[in-house]
Amino acid sequence: MKKVTIQDIAKELNISFSTVARALNDHPAISEATKKLVRKTAQRLNYRQNKLASSLRSGHSNTIGIMVPSLDVSFFSSVVHGIEKIMNENGYSILLYQSNESYESEKKGIETFLNSRVAGIIASVAKETQTHEHFAEIQRRRIPLLFFDRALEALQVPSVTIDDYKGGFLATEHLIRQGYKRIVHITAGQTIGIFKERLRGYVNALKLYDLPVDKNLILYGDFSLDFGRQCVKELYQNNIPFDAVFALEDFTAMGALQQLLDYKVHVPEEVGVIGFANESFGALVTPGLSSIDQQTVHMGEAAAELFLKMLRSEDLYNNLPERIVLAPHLIARASTARRDNSKFSRQYPQESEGEQLI
Amino acid sequence: MKKVTIQDIAKELNISFSTVARALNDHPAISEATKKLVRKTAQRLNYRQNKLASSLRSGHSNTIGIMVPSLDVSFFSSVVHGIEKIMNENGYSILLYQSNESYESEKKGIETFLNSRVAGIIASVAKETQTHEHFAEIQRRRIPLLFFDRALEALQVPSVTIDDYKGGFLATEHLIRQGYKRIVHITAGQTIGIFKERLRGYVNALKLYDLPVDKNLILYGDFSLDFGRQCVKELYQNNIPFDAVFALEDFTAMGALQQLLDYKVHVPEEVGVIGFANESFGALVTPGLSSIDQQTVHMGEAAAELFLKMLRSEDLYNNLPERIVLAPHLIARASTARRDNSKFSRQYPQESEGEQLI
DNA sequence: TTGAAAGCGCTAACAA
DNA sequence: TTGTTAGCGCTTTCAA
């Protein structure tokens, strides 16, 4: 199949190729008659516009780059799902890149985006990333950049994140209201912003409710199902009493829960467990795992909408960057259903999604 | 920041711009001295190659299109994760498109890919798609096309799928060997190929083990957690005796399992339950949900490898298309752990992943 | 309402 | 080893 260009259509119709180009782009100065004729011929010849040529010439592109740590993490694939949907409805295509949490890979991806002359970039920063030179270059080239979930605070870049402090606070407050008093918090050893915020929420909730902050109850480490199990094991081995576990994310919480059940500890009666992220399995396990919902759908939508606004505005880097912070939601399930909590007053407006206990 | 081109570098160094181009592309005819000089200047001026221009001129592109029904389905996001990783390692970028199971959307996506002059397309067909004209056009343009998981048999296109017949057979055989005799199969009302194959595997396994095929035990419908619950309810309401459920996928199986537990039916002692897809929650619920693993990782890898082979071969459409069919694996967990099954002989080589019962 | 012509930034054949 | 030159297929200004 020979490649068909606007020249071929022009020859077919004995008109100039610029008229053909205008007709195909629905230029107002072209008569309806020629437009119709051109479109018909284009279809007959199986013509397809060459976006490479048109983008090269016009300097505009309708491709945007999305950089995520990994599509294997349901949170990210879910947000990408949402962003792609909305950007696609607005005529944009998605160039996808996974950093796999590696700084080098992230840098390479940004380069690819830049070389491909994308119209803008939406990114969630890799765990490993310490410097921000590669992101700064995007700004220097005046290309719209937006962070979601994991942002680099040092850069003046718009972002959509959730309030991790509030998430940590909500989880801890919920446990306190359920009557738990010695609450363990499992957090990350590294100094990732979002986990520090969750920890801060935990500490402040304890203080607000006049509970002591016990260093022995704050466990640092990697996060994984196994680490959750190990934490519970060590707490028992070291004879450290506790009656609840708030883990930085659901898999770790699930590990803790499994280990407790292995030890024949009653959940939620003796020990309550809550996680973070509201992974889909939380609703399916027994007892149902309480968690903090990260507003995945909203985050994708908000990111796409804000980004579209950026693409449309000219004075992109003149005003202060818009930073949208979404409110996390408490999802109370059986793993923390110790008792009636009606006597407590509400601290935040939407405390629960009203999900059924399982 | 002004846009820097090879012309700017050429002016800086008082050499011709084609020398610069050659130097940057590591052309063998250029001396090491100039190469070094050019590279240094390029870096100093913050030069970035324009892929639009180079692809337009050379006629080659290193972008490939990936079309999936939805990234919100963990199976697809997981396969895309794998494909992106390998293609990326081989120097390709990914243009991503979700059909959301819509034929129109799929068609539009293919058009975008074609207009963007992708080097090739990897696709999993939308549920809604009945015709294959849009895929045929890809072939007519001699662009490499590969299907994964959901292929259109009518087209001579290479594909990577799993053996759904064998999956259905394995699941049913496993239940039979565990001593279950009246096995319900929940399948899709629509006539999707892969579900028909699973049903065929179910029927043939029963026949092979001399068990009757009872129409009352084959339930057609939508697939969802709720439908699984509903199936169990109806079976009890209609007084249809059964001692096992094989559902077309894990969420439906989970619904059946939950309803059985609500009815205080003992799983696996009284009724066994097995699903399909090996979703991550299966290992976390209690009792652990037996399932059929779809070889997600292998599928991504196999698809990427086969595709790379296609991209490299010239006589792409001359020989018969390679169709790779992966073997599904039985994952036996607590939901079917009725009793010792050592007295049965093995039908297939790898019967179980040897996963611990939870 | 249409045509002519220039050129986006690069690759690659041909010359030197 | 390097330079000259001609486009890739399109958008867009200027002219008619």
Side-chain angles (χ1 to χ4, degrees):
Chain A
M1 184 187 260
K2 216 201 130 279
K3 283 160 197 167
V4 182
T5 72
I6 45 174
Q7 313 258 14
D8 298 313
I9 301 176
K11 259 179 228 151
E12 243 344 78
L13 298 173
N14 266 315
I15 54 177
S16 88
F17 74 95
S18 51
T19 302
V20 174
R22 287 195 191 95
L24 290 172
N25 289 325
D26 208 19
H27 190 106
I30 300 292
S31 75
E32 265 312 313
T34 24
K35 274 187 192 169
K36 222 172 248 173
L37 209 60
V38 167
R39 281 199 273 255
K40 208 184 254 171
T41 317
Q43 194 154 30
R44 180 163 55 80
L45 297 183
N46 243 299
Y47 167 79
R48 301 231 154 260
Q49 190 200 43
N50 187 329
K51 284 218 173 162
L52 298 173
S54 85
S55 287
L56 173 61
R57 179 57 238 248
S58 69
H60 303 301
S61 117
N62 45 195
T63 303
I64 65 160
I66 298 189
M67 166 81 70
V68 288
S70 169
L71 279 187
D72 227 9
V73 175
S74 68
F75 171 74
F76 289 116
S77 60
S78 183
V79 176
V80 171
H81 164 79
I83 296 176
E84 195 273 347
K85 193 155 174 287
I86 295 186
M87 293 312 291
N88 190 17
E89 285 164 6
N90 284 273
Y92 288 92
S93 306
I94 304 298
L95 255 187
L96 180 76
Y97 209 98
Q98 296 179 102
S99 68
N100 289 304
E101 304 288 11
S102 141
Y103 163 68
E104 283 303 330
S105 187
E106 185 172 84
K107 215 167 126 183
K108 238 188 83 197
I110 301 282
E111 264 169 47
T112 307
F113 287 165
L114 258 22
N115 292 355
S116 301
R117 299 298 189 265
V118 293
I121 296 172
I122 300 181
S124 198
V125 183
K127 218 183 272 177
E128 221 182 275
T129 300
Q130 303 287 341
T131 66
H132 49 250
E133 176 47 31
H134 51 314
F135 284 114
E137 194 189 336
I138 300 172
Q139 288 195 295
R140 247 181 279 122
R141 288 174 188 267
R142 317 253 103 187
I143 294 168
L145 171 63
L146 171 76
F147 287 132
F148 75 91
D149 194 49
R150 303 195 198 153
L152 291 173
E153 296 299 329
L155 250 35
Q156 294 288 319
V157 169
S159 61
V160 180
T161 53
I162 71 149
D163 188 341
D164 284 283
Y165 166 76
K166 184 172 163 187
F169 189 96
L170 278 178
T172 312
E173 183 185 46
H174 171 65
L175 290 171
I176 297 170
R177 289 186 183 183
Q178 298 296 95
Y180 300 106
K181 290 201 161 27
R182 289 192 51 79
I183 301 169
V184 170
H185 181 43
I186 305 178
T187 185
Q190 307 131 296
T191 51
I192 297 186
I194 58 176
F195 300 130
K196 279 205 291 203
E197 283 297 288
R198 290 174 198 179
L199 170 60
R200 202 163 65 79
Y202 161 82
V203 169
N204 276 7
L206 291 178
K207 284 182 181 164
L208 198 76
Y209 284 88
D210 291 324
L211 288 173
V213 178
D214 184 342
K215 300 252 166 189
N216 286 320
L217 298 183
I218 302 177
L219 307 177
Y220 296 85
D222 200 11
F223 43 99
S224 66
L225 194 116
D226 282 341
F227 186 66
R229 291 193 94 110
Q230 196 191 317
C231 284
V232 169
K233 276 185 202 163
E234 284 178 8
L235 285 164
Y236 277 99
Q237 275 161 15
N238 298 331
N239 282 314
I240 300 172
F242 67 98
D243 62 2
V245 176
F246 162 37
L248 78 174
E249 51 83 42
D250 280 346
F251 283 94
T252 311
M254 195 61 212
L257 178 56
Q258 288 184 340
Q259 192 60 54
L260 287 166
L261 296 178
D262 282 0
Y263 282 167
K264 308 286 177 209
V265 174
H266 293 279
V267 177
E269 294 80 5
E270 293 174 82
V271 175
V273 179
I274 190 167
F276 206 111
N278 195 22
E279 293 276 348
S280 67
F281 69 79
L284 303 174
V285 297
T286 314
L289 180 67
S290 295
S291 192
I292 300 294
D293 187 82
Q294 297 197 80
Q295 301 290 297
T296 331
V297 179
H298 274 108
M299 188 171 290
E301 283 171 3
E305 297 297 353
L306 177 53
F307 195 65
L308 283 169
K309 213 164 101 186
M310 292 170 68
L311 288 171
R312 287 184 203 117
S313 89
E314 296 107 65
D315 55 343
L316 190 61
Y317 286 107
N318 291 343
N319 3 31
L320 273 179
E322 197 166 340
R323 285 183 173 155
I324 296 176
V325 179
L326 301 173
H329 288 186
L330 171 68
I331 307 292
R333 297 202 182 94
S335 70
T336 55
R338 194 184 219 174
R339 59 149 169 152
D340 177 58
N341 64 354
S342 54
K343 69 166 182 161
F344 289 92
S345 64
R346 303 195 131 221
Q347 191 80 3
Y348 285 106
Q350 341 83 323
E351 175 182 316
S352 155
E353 291 281 64
E355 176 146 333
Q356 246 181 295
L357 300 186
I358 293 165
Chain B
M1 184 187 261
K2 215 201 130 276
K3 281 162 198 165
V4 182
T5 72
I6 46 175
Q7 312 259 13
D8 299 310
I9 301 176
K11 261 180 226 150
E12 252 329 86
L13 298 173
N14 267 314
I15 54 176
S16 89
F17 77 94
S18 53
T19 302
V20 174
R22 288 195 192 96
L24 290 172
N25 289 326
D26 209 21
H27 190 106
I30 301 292
S31 75
E32 265 312 312
T34 22
K35 274 185 193 171
K36 223 172 247 173
L37 208 61
V38 167
R39 282 198 273 255
K40 209 183 253 171
T41 317
Q43 193 154 32
R44 180 163 57 78
L45 298 182
N46 244 298
Y47 168 79
R48 301 229 155 262
Q49 191 202 41
N50 187 328
K51 285 217 173 162
L52 298 174
S54 85
S55 288
L56 173 61
R57 178 58 237 247
S58 70
H60 303 301
S61 118
N62 44 196
T63 302
I64 66 160
I66 299 189
M67 165 82 68
V68 288
S70 170
L71 279 187
D72 228 9
V73 175
S74 68
F75 171 74
F76 290 116
S77 60
S78 185
V79 175
V80 172
H81 164 79
I83 296 177
E84 196 273 348
K85 194 155 172 290
I86 295 187
M87 293 312 291
N88 190 18
E89 285 163 6
N90 284 274
Y92 289 93
S93 305
I94 304 298
L95 255 187
L96 180 75
Y97 209 99
Q98 296 178 102
S99 68
N100 290 302
E101 305 288 11
S102 141
Y103 162 68
E104 283 303 329
S105 188
E106 185 173 84
K107 213 167 127 184
K108 238 188 85 197
I110 301 283
E111 264 170 45
T112 308
F113 288 164
L114 257 22
N115 290 356
S116 301
R117 300 298 190 265
V118 293
I121 296 173
I122 301 181
S124 199
V125 183
K127 218 182 274 178
E128 220 182 275
T129 299
Q130 302 287 343
T131 66
H132 49 249
E133 176 48 30
H134 51 314
F135 284 114
E137 195 189 336
I138 300 172
Q139 288 196 296
R140 246 181 279 123
R141 288 172 188 268
R142 315 253 105 188
I143 294 168
L145 170 64
L146 172 75
F147 288 131
F148 75 90
D149 194 50
R150 303 194 197 154
L152 291 173
E153 297 299 329
L155 250 34
Q156 291 290 321
V157 168
S159 61
V160 180
T161 52
I162 71 151
D163 187 341
D164 284 282
Y165 166 77
K166 184 172 163 186
F169 188 96
L170 277 178
T172 312
E173 182 184 48
H174 171 65
L175 290 170
I176 297 169
R177 288 187 184 183
Q178 298 295 97
Y180 300 106
K181 293 203 161 22
R182 289 192 51 80
I183 301 169
V184 170
H185 181 42
I186 305 178
T187 184
Q190 307 133 296
T191 50
I192 297 187
I194 58 177
F195 299 131
K196 278 205 292 200
E197 282 298 287
R198 291 176 198 179
L199 170 61
R200 201 164 63 80
Y202 161 82
V203 169
N204 276 8
L206 290 179
K207 285 182 181 164
L208 197 76
Y209 283 88
D210 290 325
L211 288 172
V213 177
D214 184 344
K215 299 252 167 190
N216 287 320
L217 297 183
I218 302 177
L219 307 177
Y220 295 85
D222 200 9
F223 42 100
S224 66
L225 193 115
D226 282 340
F227 186 66
R229 291 193 94 111
Q230 198 192 315
C231 284
V232 168
K233 276 186 202 162
E234 284 178 9
L235 285 163
Y236 277 98
Q237 275 162 15
N238 298 331
N239 283 315
I240 299 172
F242 66 99
D243 62 2
V245 176
F246 162 37
L248 78 172
E249 51 82 43
D250 280 346
F251 283 94
T252 311
M254 195 62 211
L257 178 56
Q258 287 184 344
Q259 191 62 52
L260 286 167
L261 295 178
D262 282 2
Y263 283 167
K264 308 286 177 209
V265 174
H266 293 279
V267 177
E269 294 80 4
E270 293 175 83
V271 175
V273 179
I274 189 166
F276 207 111
N278 196 22
E279 294 276 347
S280 67
F281 69 77
L284 302 173
V285 298
T286 315
L289 180 66
S290 295
S291 193
I292 300 294
D293 187 82
Q294 297 197 78
Q295 301 292 299
T296 332
V297 180
H298 274 109
M299 189 172 289
E301 282 170 4
E305 298 297 352
L306 177 53
F307 195 64
L308 283 169
K309 213 165 100 185
M310 292 169 68
L311 288 171
R312 288 183 203 118
S313 87
E314 294 108 65
D315 55 342
L316 191 61
Y317 288 106
N318 290 345
N319 4 31
L320 272 179
E322 195 165 340
R323 286 184 173 154
I324 297 176
V325 179
L326 300 174
H329 287 185
L330 171 68
I331 307 292
R333 296 203 183 93
S335 69
T336 54
R338 194 184 220 176
R339 58 148 170 155
D340 177 58
N341 64 354
S342 54
K343 69 166 181 160
F344 289 92
S345 63
R346 304 195 129 221
Q347 190 80 5
Y348 283 106
Q350 341 84 324
E351 175 182 318
S352 153
E353 291 281 68
E355 176 148 334
Q356 248 181 292
L357 300 185
I358 293 167

